[in-house]
């Protein structure tokens, strides 16, 4: 394992969705279709063997970015490099091979599992794709995967509704592991679970990472969770990455005003460790109508006049391994 080598590199990645108006509305009101800029020019590297946390408020584009990296949502522009090859240029058979290596674990394990299939059938799907056609071998592999994620062999004939939320997430993890992946997008994998179960699933993901040298993109809106799981953290706002740093550096000395506001909202028991709460003005703007200049300027408590209102700052390195997109920190 080389912890410094990027496994995934994302360059100028954009994912726009078009909201089509009806022909009559367009003719009568002379209005064009609307463009939702869900991911708007993201540059990011995910190093082999690390957990990169991706955090931001709901609707900032985190999940769309995760799905665009896997080409579940084909990007509008940009590059996604996996071991230095642009997966967006892959032919269908190469893309299928990439999809074996890059898996996703979803937030809601119940809706991501087919309710009409048993655990055996659910985990058999990727194994059949992988060419394990011998029923005995397939059954052995399913048992092995169930044991590895903390389920028992007698669960094999059960249906998803017969499991608790945590057990269902374990089935989702077993399904992802069946392909022997090297990279997994964990999309809010513990957000729908009780706190006690969250810890068990996080521990399981960490054990699996060690055992199989997995690389994770861990998406969450919960900063307390991300602190414990991530080696580095990327903060996302309105389709853009605004700060990237090692977890300790980001928590101890955040550079972007948005990151400072997010961190100030974390409840802390120790009074001496509490930060002054920063209340942001207004709501997150719509990705249909992104503000000019710095996208955070309408809410930024530290904005500096015309510069922030009219010029988009670049994401640049201002300290060792610490990048920020803010005019205040431009060297
Ligand atoms: Fe605030 Fe300006 Fe920095 Fe944007 S560029 S975060 S508006 S100070």
């Amino acid at each position: 394992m080389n912890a410094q080598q990027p496994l995934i590199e994302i360059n100028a990645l954009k994912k726009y969705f078009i909201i089509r108006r009806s022909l009559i509305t367009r003719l009568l009101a002379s209005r064009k279709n609307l463009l939702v800029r869900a991911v708007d020019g993201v540059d990011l590297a995910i190093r082999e063997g690390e957990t990169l946390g991706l955090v931001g408020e709901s609707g900032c584009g985190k999940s769309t970015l995760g799905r665009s990296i896997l080409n579940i949502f084909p990007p509008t522009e940009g590059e996604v490099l996996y071991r230095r090859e642009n997966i967006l240029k892959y032919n269908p058979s190469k893309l299928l091979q990439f999809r074996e290596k890059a898996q996703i674990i979803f937030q809601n394990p119940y809706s991501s599992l087919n309710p009409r299939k048993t655990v055996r059938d659910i985990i058999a799907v990727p194994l059949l794709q992988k060419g394990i056609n011998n029923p005995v071998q397939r059954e052995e592999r399913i048992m092995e995967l169930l044991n590895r994620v903390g389920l028992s062999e007698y669960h094999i004939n059960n249906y998803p509704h017969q499991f608790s939320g945590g057990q269902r997430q374990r089935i989702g993890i077993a399904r992802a592991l069946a392909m022997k992946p090297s990279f997994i997008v964990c999309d809010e994998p513990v957000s729908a679970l009780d706190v006690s179960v969250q810890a068990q699933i996080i521990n399981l993901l960490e054990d699996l990472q060690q055992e199989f040298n997995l690389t994770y993109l861990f998406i969450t809106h919960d900063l307390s969770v991300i602190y414990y799981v991530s080696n580095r953290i990327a903060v996302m706002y309105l389709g853009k990455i605004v700060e990237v740093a090692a977890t300790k550096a980001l928590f101890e000395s955040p550079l972007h005003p948005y990151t400072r506001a997010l961190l100030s909202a974390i409840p802390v028991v120790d009074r001496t460790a509490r930060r002054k709460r920063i209340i942001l003005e207004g709501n997150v703007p719509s990705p249909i109508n992104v503000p000019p200049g710095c996208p955070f300027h309408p809410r930024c408590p530290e904005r500096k006049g015309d510069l922030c209102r009219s010029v988009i700052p670049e994401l640049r390195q201002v300290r060792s391994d610490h990048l920020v997109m803010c005019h205040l920190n431009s060297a």
Side-chain angles (χ1 to χ4, degrees):
M1 175 181 95
N2 183 347
Q4 294 305 309
Q5 202 58 247
L7 181 72
I8 302 273
E9 279 178 271
I10 304 150
N11 297 321
L13 196 75
K14 294 183 180 174
K15 178 62 193 174
Y16 295 169
F17 295 97
I18 296 171
I19 300 178
R20 297 190 194 283
R21 292 179 185 272
S22 73
L23 184 62
I24 294 175
T25 314
R26 275 188 276 155
L27 289 175
L28 291 179
S30 321
R31 287 195 184 143
K32 295 180 183 162
N33 291 326
L34 298 172
L35 208 56
V36 181
R37 296 164 193 270
V39 175
D40 201 10
V42 164
D43 296 305
L44 200 58
I46 306 171
R47 297 168 188 163
E48 187 151 19
E50 78 166 345
T51 298
L52 178 71
L54 180 61
V55 73
E57 289 163 287
S58 290
C60 71
K62 311 181 290 293
S63 293
T64 305
L65 176 58
R67 284 164 171 73
S68 300
I69 294 170
L70 300 180
N71 205 10
I72 297 171
F73 292 160
T76 309
E77 262 181 58
E79 286 184 331
V80 177
L81 307 183
Y82 172 73
R83 298 198 190 282
R84 302 195 180 177
E85 287 183 5
N86 188 357
I87 65 137
L88 305 180
K89 299 231 161 107
Y90 278 172
N91 60 30
S93 84
K94 281 279 274 179
L95 194 58
L96 216 57
Q97 286 172 23
F98 168 70
R99 291 228 165 104
E100 288 184 9
K101 293 284 157 209
Q103 292 287 307
I104 184 164
I105 298 168
F106 295 97
Q107 173 179 7
N108 186 338
Y110 194 57
S111 64
S112 70
L113 301 174
N114 188 334
R116 295 184 187 182
K117 299 218 166 185
T118 62
V119 169
R120 173 189 285 108
D121 295 338
I122 289 169
I123 302 179
V125 173
L127 294 177
L128 283 164
Q129 272 176 31
K130 232 177 146 32
I132 304 180
N133 295 318
N134 181 312
V136 177
Q137 281 179 359
R138 201 165 55 239
E139 192 84 352
E140 279 173 9
R141 180 81 178 118
I142 294 170
M143 299 290 193
E144 190 187 315
L145 286 163
L146 287 179
N147 285 329
R148 189 58 202 86
V149 299
L151 293 172
S152 301
E153 293 176 5
Y154 64 81
H155 286 127
I156 198 164
N157 289 315
N158 290 3
Y159 289 86
H161 73 270
Q162 296 174 287
F163 293 93
S164 67
Q167 286 175 318
R168 284 196 284 259
Q169 194 55 289
R170 287 174 194 269
I171 299 168
I173 294 169
R175 180 177 57 182
L177 281 184
M179 286 295 202
K180 299 195 172 168
S182 50
F183 173 60
I184 301 182
V185 173
C186 305
D187 188 2
E188 304 262 13
V190 296
S191 304
L193 305 177
D194 291 345
V195 176
S196 58
V197 182
Q198 286 186 4
Q200 293 168 14
I201 297 295
I202 286 171
N203 289 341
L204 173 63
L205 288 170
E206 284 182 347
D207 290 349
L208 295 171
Q209 182 172 43
Q210 294 292 321
E211 190 174 337
F212 301 113
N213 188 26
L214 297 170
T215 302
Y216 292 144
L217 176 65
F218 196 102
I219 300 173
T220 181
H221 62 276
D222 187 335
L223 278 156
S224 326
V225 167
I226 217 158
Y227 179 79
Y228 287 104
V229 300
S230 309
N231 302 105
R232 294 187 305 136
I233 295 175
V235 181
M236 194 163 184
Y237 183 80
L238 212 55
K240 292 185 189 297
I241 300 295
V242 296
E243 186 161 5
V244 188
T247 301
K248 194 163 180 285
L250 190 105
F251 270 74
E252 287 180 358
S253 48
L255 295 177
H256 197 282
Y258 177 61
T259 313
R260 284 199 275 270
L262 283 182
L263 293 178
S264 77
I266 302 177
V268 180
V269 177
D270 179 0
R271 280 174 177 271
T272 57
R274 280 186 195 159
R275 299 169 196 259
K276 186 169 178 281
R277 180 76 200 267
I278 301 167
I279 311 280
L280 295 176
E281 298 167 19
N283 296 318
V284 183
S286 164
I288 295 173
N289 196 9
V290 177
C294 171
F296 187 55
H297 88 257
R299 304 173 77 200
C300 180
E302 299 174 44
R303 66 178 166 259
K304 297 273 175 261
D306 282 350
L307 181 64
C308 294
R309 267 189 230 107
S310 55
V311 181
I312 303 175
E314 282 177 24
L315 181 69
R316 61 179 86 191
Q317 179 157 331
V318 293
R319 289 184 192 159
S320 168
D321 209 19
H322 196 149
L323 292 84
V324 65
M325 178 189 154
C326 175
H327 292 307
L328 292 181
N329 293 284
S330 22

